[in-house]
Amino acid sequence: MSSKPEPLFQPLARDALSQQIARMLTDAIVSGKLKPGDRVAESVIAREFGVSRAPVREAARLLESTGLLVSHANRGFFVRTIDAEDLDSLYELRLCIEREAAARVVREGKVAGIIDRLRAQIEDMVGMSEENQLILQIGVDLQFHRLIVESSGNKRFVAAFDKLASEIQACTAMIETVFDEPGLVARNHYLIIDALLSGDQDEARAALDYHIGVARETVVGRFRKLEAEEAAKR
Amino acid sequence: MSSKPEPLFQPLARDALSQQIARMLTDAIVSGKLKPGDRVAESVIAREFGVSRAPVREAARLLESTGLLVSHANRGFFVRTIDAEDLDSLYELRLCIEREAAARVVREGKVAGIIDRLRAQIEDMVGMSEENQLILQIGVDLQFHRLIVESSGNKRFVAAFDKLASEIQACTAMIETVFDEPGLVARNHYLIIDALLSGDQDEARAALDYHIGVARETVVGRFRKLEAEEAAKR
DNA sequence: CGATTGTCGTTTGTCGACAATTTCGCTTGA
DNA sequence: TCAAGCGAAATTGTCGACAAACGACAATCG
């Protein structure tokens, strides 16, 4: 017999049901299958998955802590509605974290270790952009930024970023085709790479100020427009 | 009859068991009755409160999302252990948020509206410091900073700050008598007020850089020392 | 006809029980 | 003596059930 038998099967996903359900729900929200304001009734979800309400409840509480769901006492869970102002706050916080993370990456000379992966992710983005895979592109985009945050070495930055990212992803996915020119946003990430490579902390900060500022204006602006249309409708 | 009937009763506090339990547990942790690494078994807590495990479980999940507890699959909840490096990350994130919040408070001219409350809180701190009510003083200290964050108008800042604050409170409470001179730390807050009143964003940022920097060095330094002692012991 | 009250269905909050998993003391064998 | 293995006890993950709370609509009263 082989001393190290090639594993015939993957260990099957045995994390708690609640975790699997949380993932499913997250996907449904960030991909827009569940829309802001939609009710997420424990009993309904439980029936659909064929499980009891307990794990669903836990999954919901988990998503509540990440901000994707909100709960009203005795009335259950709803997909978080988010207004332009709130989204703007979100971007402001994201900016705080990401610029300092980038500064730290530069300060501690960790750019070289991630530069290849960053480049690869930009390529991925460009590709997806050309195929109009907007939602996937947003995912990779956030991965790119996450990688910077991650290699700052500050675990709290990462945790906070992740929390924001899922919400930003959900919001950005809501507004189809935000961006004018295919691949433009993707390629703009090269400016960040340049700034990181410059070795100047302030330049790194400025690059992110600019980059996130553009995204912020675009997405928030779009949101305000949607809100205005919505308000005019009634 | 009065057109707008003066409400005769306050809505009575009827929050769920889980919320009450969460509060109790939080108190126990930040006051140091539960120490980092301690096991928090659902069944034990449930027995003590005389309730079933469900609300305890939910309370625990709530505290997990605030970072006070951690859960290991199939092994339950434990009071979060925190090392000096992690605490340092915590302070770094806190600094990011708070300095930008302060800058925004200055930028939007909201200083006047809170200055009285800020002063009152410093007085409270001084009083508690003189009575050696360290834990209470820490609470008011964080309230002071929270007030600044809150009046930045950025709800995300507040949410993130709250999450950090509970952990910082727990950690600071662990190390008795961190501070040399009674009332010194409390009175140092006047420097922040001065900076806010100066109307200069950068000055506000600098004041918080300094203030939080001192706290960071003190608390983290103390933590490192504790860790070293702990390591030497074995 | 409008406002208040009663009722009903649905959903959450909580419970006690069972199955699955981990932990720990004990035995066993080298 | 000590390590590995086994089994009982304790603990978590999940379940189905019940009671309380909520929202909506019908019934009642002015």
Side-chain angles (χ1 to χ4, degrees):
Chain A
M1 67 180 100
S2 47
S3 62
K4 193 142 196 174
E6 196 60 32
L8 197 51
F9 300 108
Q10 303 290 349
L12 35 116
R14 263 176 9 94
D15 35 26
L17 280 180
S18 52
Q19 307 248 344
Q20 301 182 43
I21 296 171
R23 249 198 313 277
M24 302 282 219
L25 285 178
T26 303
D27 284 351
I29 295 172
V30 303
S31 73
K33 280 198 286 263
L34 278 171
K35 295 193 195 326
D38 279 2
R39 174 164 220 154
V40 181
E42 296 173 12
S43 27
V44 177
I45 305 294
R47 260 197 305 277
E48 293 191 9
F49 280 120
V51 299
S52 89
R53 276 172 45 217
V56 175
R57 196 182 176 76
E58 263 187 48
R61 282 265 125 89
L62 202 65
L63 295 215
E64 185 185 16
S65 78
T66 71
L68 287 181
L69 294 181
V70 292
S71 76
H72 297 137
N74 288 319
R75 305 206 311 110
F77 294 91
F78 301 81
V79 179
R80 154 153 217 160
T81 63
I82 196 166
D83 56 22
E85 186 202 332
D86 195 19
L87 188 57
D88 196 53
S89 298
L90 207 60
Y91 270 104
E92 191 177 9
L93 177 53
R94 177 183 166 185
L95 180 57
C96 285
I97 295 170
E98 216 171 314
R99 70 202 304 238
E100 286 312 311
R104 239 185 97 161
V105 170
V106 170
R107 183 162 69 242
E108 301 180 358
K110 292 187 179 154
V111 177
I114 58 172
I115 198 76
D116 289 339
R117 268 183 292 168
L118 290 176
R119 287 218 171 89
Q121 277 170 329
I122 298 182
E123 289 309 310
D124 282 358
M125 272 187 261
V126 174
M128 288 169 179
S129 168
E130 282 163 358
E131 296 171 35
N132 255 340
Q133 300 274 25
L134 184 60
I135 292 183
L136 289 181
Q137 187 194 341
I138 295 168
V140 181
D141 191 331
L142 286 171
Q143 285 287 327
F144 174 94
H145 290 275
R146 198 199 130 101
L147 185 53
I148 296 175
V149 175
E150 200 178 337
S151 57
S152 77
N154 186 324
K155 296 209 182 73
R156 300 297 179 149
F157 281 178
V158 180
F161 179 84
D162 282 344
K163 196 153 153 359
L164 304 180
S166 57
E167 287 191 75
I168 288 186
Q169 184 161 18
C171 290
T172 338
M174 277 177 57
I175 31 183
E176 7 28 275
T177 65
V178 192
F179 306 117
D180 335 12
E181 201 175 319
L184 179 63
V185 174
R187 268 183 279 269
N188 272 345
H189 285 79
Y190 282 118
L191 297 177
I192 297 180
I193 289 195
D194 291 343
L196 291 179
L197 286 174
S198 80
D200 180 359
Q201 290 182 48
D202 286 330
E203 202 155 318
R205 270 190 267 257
L208 282 160
D209 279 3
Y210 175 74
H211 183 92
I212 297 178
V214 171
R216 181 178 175 179
E217 277 173 34
T218 313
V219 177
V220 174
R222 181 80 181 208
F223 242 77
R224 284 199 208 286
K225 219 175 100 191
L226 281 178
E227 276 179 13
E229 286 171 11
E230 205 64 27
K233 202 176 292 175
R234 71 194 53 163
Chain B
M1 72 178 89
S2 46
S3 60
K4 192 141 199 173
E6 197 60 32
L8 197 51
F9 300 109
Q10 304 290 350
L12 39 104
R14 264 178 357 96
D15 39 23
L17 279 182
S18 52
Q19 307 247 345
Q20 301 182 41
I21 296 171
R23 248 199 313 278
M24 301 284 218
L25 285 179
T26 304
D27 285 350
I29 295 172
V30 303
S31 73
K33 279 200 286 263
L34 279 170
K35 297 196 193 325
D38 279 2
R39 174 164 220 155
V40 181
E42 295 173 13
S43 24
V44 178
I45 305 295
R47 260 198 304 277
E48 294 191 8
F49 281 120
V51 299
S52 89
R53 276 173 42 216
V56 175
R57 198 182 173 76
E58 246 177 69
R61 280 266 127 87
L62 202 65
L63 295 215
E64 185 185 14
S65 78
T66 71
L68 287 181
L69 294 182
V70 292
S71 76
H72 297 138
N74 287 317
R75 305 204 311 111
F77 293 91
F78 301 81
V79 179
R80 153 153 217 162
T81 62
I82 195 165
D83 57 22
E85 186 203 331
D86 196 20
L87 188 57
D88 196 53
S89 298
L90 206 61
Y91 270 103
E92 191 176 9
L93 177 53
R94 176 182 166 185
L95 179 58
C96 286
I97 295 170
E98 215 171 316
R99 68 198 312 233
E100 285 312 312
R104 239 185 95 162
V105 170
V106 170
R107 182 163 70 243
E108 301 180 358
K110 293 186 179 153
V111 177
I114 57 171
I115 198 76
D116 289 338
R117 268 184 293 166
L118 289 177
R119 286 218 172 88
Q121 277 169 331
I122 297 182
E123 289 309 311
D124 282 358
M125 271 188 263
V126 173
M128 288 169 179
S129 168
E130 282 163 358
E131 297 170 35
N132 255 338
Q133 300 274 26
L134 184 60
I135 293 184
L136 289 180
Q137 187 194 340
I138 296 170
V140 180
D141 190 332
L142 287 170
Q143 285 288 327
F144 175 95
H145 290 275
R146 197 200 130 100
L147 186 52
I148 296 175
V149 174
E150 199 178 339
S151 57
S152 77
N154 185 324
K155 294 211 184 71
R156 300 299 179 150
F157 281 180
V158 180
F161 179 85
D162 281 345
K163 196 155 154 354
L164 303 181
S166 57
E167 287 192 74
I168 288 187
Q169 183 162 18
C171 288
T172 336
M174 276 177 57
I175 29 182
E176 10 22 278
T177 67
V178 192
F179 306 118
D180 335 12
E181 201 174 319
L184 179 64
V185 173
R187 270 182 277 269
N188 273 344
H189 285 79
Y190 282 117
L191 297 177
I192 298 180
I193 289 195
D194 290 344
L196 291 178
L197 286 174
S198 80
D200 180 359
Q201 289 184 49
D202 287 329
E203 201 156 319
R205 268 190 269 257
L208 282 160
D209 279 3
Y210 175 74
H211 183 91
I212 298 179
V214 171
R216 182 178 175 179
E217 277 172 34
T218 313
V219 177
V220 173
R222 181 78 182 208
F223 242 77
R224 283 200 210 285
K225 217 174 101 190
L226 281 177
E227 275 180 13
E229 287 170 13
E230 205 64 30
K233 202 176 293 176
R234 74 193 51 159

